[in-house]
């Protein structure tokens, strides 16, 4: 398959905004003349110079090009010749060895060549070079008397420094984007299961225009070398990527807080969530077999909603749940948005409670600990209290209806937009009951992965007077965790929701990983 990495060969295609700052070569030295570069639509590299006429003339010219194949060919020939002329000019320039020489080199560089030269000489544009410019600037600024020549030099040096600094930053960013885009595109093209790779990337917000641009270049290159199969294959991938990107864009236009992709949701589950979905979500349904969105419907009005579910071709499907902002989206009412829900799982003593407290305080989550809710129920002296106490003493799991009801009530009484549910669901039955009763799924599952001996050590040192922190009950809890809780983690893993965090190390180190996770999720 054709592969092309154009990061180094096309340094100037980003159309950097800083061109506007660059004083033009013609008569600018000493005269402080600044000319803003204007891009000509049919001449993106600016090889033909600035447009000669106004807007109407440009439109005329473009129309003529579109109509007239001779004119188009002549124009393309002219572009090629100009490109070649510039290439030769560039090669003829001697690159100086010293910083002082390099300063003069850049001052003598034409504005349109700056991006190319920055890319070519990027390794030389290092800290010592910028320090050198800074020193020269300081000498002029702190001179006791300043001549007119020194004033001019100050202006040109400052303009150049600004352009180079911004240019280097833009160039480095472009390089990084391209390297990342290349890695991601390679991953998509090489993966054996493209659908799930794409979905994973969608979930991690990794599909962007840079990938598309790179893919386009590869398609063009494969086309040039007549690799028809590769072209067809890459165009298929392109269609899928484009659709996801379009959806993301739509989400942002709708003022959405986040885009959540739930894979494999069955139509029955969706139907049971109908009311909530209508209030909370924009739903796009797409056909997995096509590896792309076969059709999409905005589901925030009942009519679209019905047509969405009455269509049979969409199974199995991917539902893109675009959660609307409480303030900006949906019907705008206070009830129109359920909170973002994160389940926090991990063995007993893995540090769930400790980390949840920090997440709550740093990221504005309400912290609902299932264990705490149950212990509170015991101390409230309710009818169920004794039964719950007996179960906890034995390290078993309290019946789902009790726990889910406590969680549901606690969720109702919080107006937080983000909720952590700590230590729940403990088993598949818990999970199913939660989804049935609340009609919703978690947006995220954090799993703290900790070795058993570490968990035992922590629990025995917890010292909170808990009835279950003794070695006999701990052993039972660990067994229950292995047998019943791990399948829940596996279930959510298969749906791409689990973010595993290594729970060994200090509290601070673990929170570092948590912080990274939330940063990657744009919290
Ligand atoms: N990274 C850590 N290293 C050592 N001890 C920890 C760490 N994180 C938490 N602990 C301690 O371990 C015990 C269990 O932590 P906790 O957060 O209550 O776990 P869980 O909620 O998972 O049962 C507590 O005494 C807590 O202070
Ligand atoms: O959803 C839950 C959460 C907790 N528990 C019970 O409460 C105990 C303590 O749970 P907690 O999450 O407080 O502590 P951990 O075991 O994680 O240290 C568990 O062993 C269970 O007996 C339960 O039955 N269901």
């Amino acid at each position: 398959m054709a592969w092309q990495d154009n990061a180094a060969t096309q340094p100037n295609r980003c159309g950097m905004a800083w061109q506007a700052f660059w004083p033009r070569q013609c008569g600018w030295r000493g005269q402080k003349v600044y000319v803003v570069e204007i891009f000509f639509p049919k001449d993106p590299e600016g090889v033909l110079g600035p447009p000669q006429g106004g807007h109407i003339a440009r439109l005329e010219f473009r129309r003529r090009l579109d109509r007239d194949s001779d004119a188009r060919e002549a124009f393309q020939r002219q572009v090629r010749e100009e490109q070649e002329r510039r290439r030769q000019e560039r090669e003829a320039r001697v690159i100086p060895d010293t910083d002082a020489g390099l300063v003069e080199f850049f001052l003598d560089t034409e504005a349109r060549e700056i991006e190319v030269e920055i890319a070519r000489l990027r390794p030389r544009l290092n800290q010592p070079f910028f320090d050198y410019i800074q020193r020269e600037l300081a000498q002029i600024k702190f001179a006791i008397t300043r001549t007119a020549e020194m004033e001019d030099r100050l202006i040109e040096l400052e303009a150049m420094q600004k352009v180079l600094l911004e240019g280097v930053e833009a160039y480095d960013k472009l390089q990084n984007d391209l390297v990342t885009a290349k890695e991601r595109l390679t991953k998509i093209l090489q993966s054996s299961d493209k659908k799930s790779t794409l979905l994973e990337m969608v979930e991690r917000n990794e599909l962007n225009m840079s990938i598309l641009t790179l893919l386009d270049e590869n398609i063009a290159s494969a086309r040039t070398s007549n690799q028809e199969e590769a072209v067809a294959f890459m165009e298929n991938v392109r269609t899928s990527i484009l659709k996801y990107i379009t959806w993301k864009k739509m989400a942002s236009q709708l003022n959405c807080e986040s885009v959540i992709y739930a894979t494999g949701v069955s139509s029955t589950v969706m139907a049971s969530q109908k009311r909530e979905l209508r209030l909370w979500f924009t739903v796009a349904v797409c056909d997995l077999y096509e590896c792309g969105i076969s059709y999409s419907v905005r589901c925030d009005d009942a009519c679209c909603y019905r047509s969405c579910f009455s269509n049979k071709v969409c199974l199995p499907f991917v539902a893109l749940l675009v959660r609307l902002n409480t303030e900006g989206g949906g019907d705008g009412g206070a009830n129109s948005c359920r909170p973002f829900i994160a389940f926090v799982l991990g063995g007993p003593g893995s540090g769930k409670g400790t980390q949840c407290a920090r997440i709550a305080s740093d990221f504005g989550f309400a912290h609902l600990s299932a264990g705490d809710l149950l212990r509170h129920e015991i101390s409230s002296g309710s009818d169920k209290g004794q039964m719950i106490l007996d179960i906890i003493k034995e390290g078993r799991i309290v019946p789902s209806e009790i726990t889910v009801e406590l969680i549901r009530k606690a969720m109702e009484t919080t107006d937080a937009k983000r909720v952590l549910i700590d230590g729940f669901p403990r088993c598949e039955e818990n999970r199913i009951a939660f989804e049935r009763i609340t009609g919703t799924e978690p947006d995220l599952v954090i799993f703290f992965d900790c070795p058993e001996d570490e968990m035992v050590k922590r629990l025995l040192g917890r010292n909170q007077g808990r009835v279950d922190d003794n070695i006999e009950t701990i052993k039972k809890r660990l067994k229950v965790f292995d047998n019943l809780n791990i399948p829940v983690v596996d279930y959510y893993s298969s749906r791409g929701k689990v973010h595993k965090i290594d729970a060994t190390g200090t509290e601070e180190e673990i929170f570092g990983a948590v912080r990274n996770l939330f940063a990657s999720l744009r919290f």
Side-chain angles (χ1 to χ4, degrees):
M1 171 159 310
W3 179 259
Q4 199 178 318
D5 176 12
N6 278 340
T9 55
Q10 293 198 354
N12 59 345
R13 66 180 169 168
C14 57
M16 297 171 192
W18 52 260
Q19 275 206 335
F21 299 114
W22 189 246
R24 269 245 150 157
Q25 189 65 16
C26 46
W28 69 277
R29 279 185 109 167
Q31 291 179 30
K32 301 165 204 163
V33 178
Y34 290 76
V35 179
V36 175
E37 286 277 313
I38 300 163
F39 285 107
F40 193 50
K42 277 283 175 184
D43 181 19
E45 281 190 81
V47 290
L48 298 179
Q52 299 305 309
H55 178 65
I56 305 285
R58 284 200 299 276
L59 275 180
E60 281 274 292
F61 178 67
R62 205 162 53 185
R63 277 198 207 111
R64 218 186 80 220
L65 278 186
D66 291 341
R67 268 198 321 263
D68 186 342
S69 65
D70 284 350
R72 196 165 45 238
E73 259 172 45
F75 175 78
Q76 280 164 355
R77 195 173 49 249
Q78 222 177 328
V79 170
R80 277 196 304 276
E81 282 167 11
E82 178 61 19
Q83 277 172 337
E84 178 56 20
R85 192 187 65 72
R86 283 194 190 180
R87 196 187 59 75
Q88 286 175 8
E89 265 181 23
R90 249 171 244 151
E91 280 180 7
R93 295 190 79 190
V94 179
I95 297 170
D97 296 333
T98 61
D99 287 339
L102 201 57
V103 168
E104 298 312 314
F105 179 91
F106 273 107
L107 286 172
D108 287 331
T109 300
E110 289 185 45
R112 63 174 191 216
E113 286 293 291
I114 282 293
E115 287 183 8
V116 179
E117 293 298 8
I118 287 176
R120 185 158 73 129
L121 294 171
R122 175 63 187 93
R124 295 278 305 276
L125 299 176
N126 49 20
Q127 200 51 47
F129 174 70
F130 285 109
D131 289 346
Y132 174 87
I133 300 176
Q134 202 55 43
R135 274 197 302 278
E136 192 178 338
L137 281 170
Q139 273 170 11
I140 303 173
K141 282 182 188 164
F142 299 118
I144 297 167
T145 48
R146 260 196 239 170
T147 61
E149 253 180 33
M150 286 162 86
E151 291 286 353
D152 286 344
R153 179 75 175 167
L154 186 67
I155 289 169
E156 67 181 17
L157 273 181
E158 278 182 340
M160 185 192 70
Q161 184 191 38
K162 184 171 167 56
V163 166
L164 291 183
L165 283 170
E166 290 180 11
V168 162
E169 192 186 333
Y171 175 76
D172 288 351
K173 186 174 174 313
L174 181 71
Q175 291 292 309
N176 278 340
D177 282 357
L178 284 174
V179 169
T180 317
K182 184 185 165 184
E183 282 166 5
R184 289 178 185 166
L185 185 57
T186 311
K187 191 170 157 194
I188 297 170
L189 295 178
Q190 290 179 349
S191 92
S192 53
D193 184 354
K194 295 201 174 31
K195 279 176 286 189
S196 48
T197 309
L198 279 173
L199 286 170
E200 273 168 27
M201 290 180 136
V202 164
E203 199 162 334
R204 286 199 297 264
N205 228 354
E206 287 179 353
L207 294 182
N208 55 24
M209 291 312 283
S210 306
I211 295 186
L212 217 53
T213 311
L214 198 56
L215 188 57
D216 282 344
E217 279 162 10
N218 281 277
I219 292 174
S221 143
R223 194 166 277 132
T224 315
S225 49
N226 291 329
Q227 293 174 288
E228 294 310 327
E229 242 176 71
V231 171
F233 168 70
M234 287 193 284
E235 273 184 341
N236 239 341
V237 173
R238 186 184 193 283
T239 311
S240 304
I241 294 178
L242 195 63
K243 280 172 178 168
Y244 290 125
I245 290 178
T246 311
W247 269 99
K248 245 171 55 184
K249 206 166 140 207
M250 194 194 94
S252 72
Q253 281 164 357
L254 283 170
N255 196 12
C256 293
E257 201 176 52
S258 55
V259 183
I260 302 143
Y261 299 83
T263 51
V265 182
S266 78
S267 59
T268 340
V269 173
M270 296 293 276
S272 77
Q273 295 174 356
K274 211 165 176 176
R275 194 181 63 81
E276 289 87 345
L277 282 173
R278 208 178 108 206
L279 292 173
W280 299 335
F281 298 111
T282 291
V283 178
V285 181
C286 65
D287 193 337
L288 257 182
Y289 289 128
E290 295 289 329
C291 186
I293 300 172
S294 56
Y295 69 98
S296 52
V297 190
R298 264 197 65 179
C299 286
D300 52 3
D301 75 63
C303 166
C304 292
Y305 203 76
R306 270 196 301 278
S307 64
C308 163
F309 284 106
S310 61
N311 195 324
K312 298 284 187 292
V313 292
C314 64
L315 291 175
F317 61 81
V318 174
L320 288 86
L321 306 178
V322 180
R323 194 149 60 83
L324 300 177
N325 238 347
T326 330
E327 289 89 17
D331 58 12
N335 295 325
S336 66
C337 190
R338 72 141 170 87
F340 179 95
I341 299 172
F343 282 166
V344 180
L345 301 179
S350 59
K352 301 182 294 296
T354 309
Q355 294 297 326
C356 279
R358 298 197 56 171
I359 297 170
S361 97
D362 278 28
F363 296 102
F365 276 79
H367 175 195
L368 307 183
S369 155
D372 284 351
L373 290 170
L374 290 169
R375 281 183 286 274
H376 185 261
E377 192 64 18
I378 298 171
S379 54
S380 75
S382 78
D383 310 343
K384 299 170 202 134
Q386 188 56 48
M387 186 245 284
I388 298 173
L389 178 62
D390 292 342
I391 293 175
I392 288 184
K393 269 186 188 162
E394 289 170 30
R396 289 186 291 117
I397 296 174
V398 174
S400 297
E401 300 76 56
I402 296 178
T403 320
V404 174
E405 207 41 40
L406 290 173
I407 294 173
R408 199 185 59 77
K409 275 194 196 142
M411 280 174 71
E412 261 175 27
T413 54
T414 174
D415 50 14
K417 285 194 209 157
R418 302 161 176 181
V419 175
L420 292 171
I421 301 185
D422 165 8
F424 177 91
R426 298 298 253 229
C427 57
E428 278 289 272
E429 198 225 321
N430 269 182
R431 174 185 72 71
I432 293 163
F434 178 88
E435 290 180 358
R436 181 173 44 79
I437 295 170
T438 65
T440 191
E441 285 192 37
D443 302 296
L444 168 74
V445 178
I446 305 176
F447 172 52
F448 287 105
D449 190 22
C450 193
E452 258 190 39
D453 50 354
E454 178 65 24
M455 293 196 276
V456 174
K457 197 171 86 193
R458 289 182 192 175
L459 289 174
L460 291 176
R462 180 148 61 181
N463 263 336
Q464 288 176 356
R466 278 177 46 169
V467 288
D468 53 349
D469 279 350
N470 56 72
I471 194 64
E472 280 77 37
T473 317
I474 290 172
K475 279 185 191 157
K476 289 181 193 159
R477 284 156 70 196
L478 287 170
K479 220 177 210 165
V480 168
F481 170 70
D482 268 349
N483 293 338
L484 301 177
N485 207 186
I486 289 295
V488 178
V489 177
D490 290 342
Y491 170 81
Y492 284 125
S493 291
S494 72
R495 298 166 69 79
K497 294 198 171 187
V498 174
H499 292 265
K500 185 157 100 171
I501 289 185
D502 179 0
T504 54
T506 64
E507 189 186 315
E508 199 52 48
E509 283 165 349
I510 298 164
F511 192 61
V514 171
R515 215 185 274 115
N516 287 343
L517 166 66
F518 280 92
S520 74
L521 296 170
R522 293 169 200 280
F523 273 89

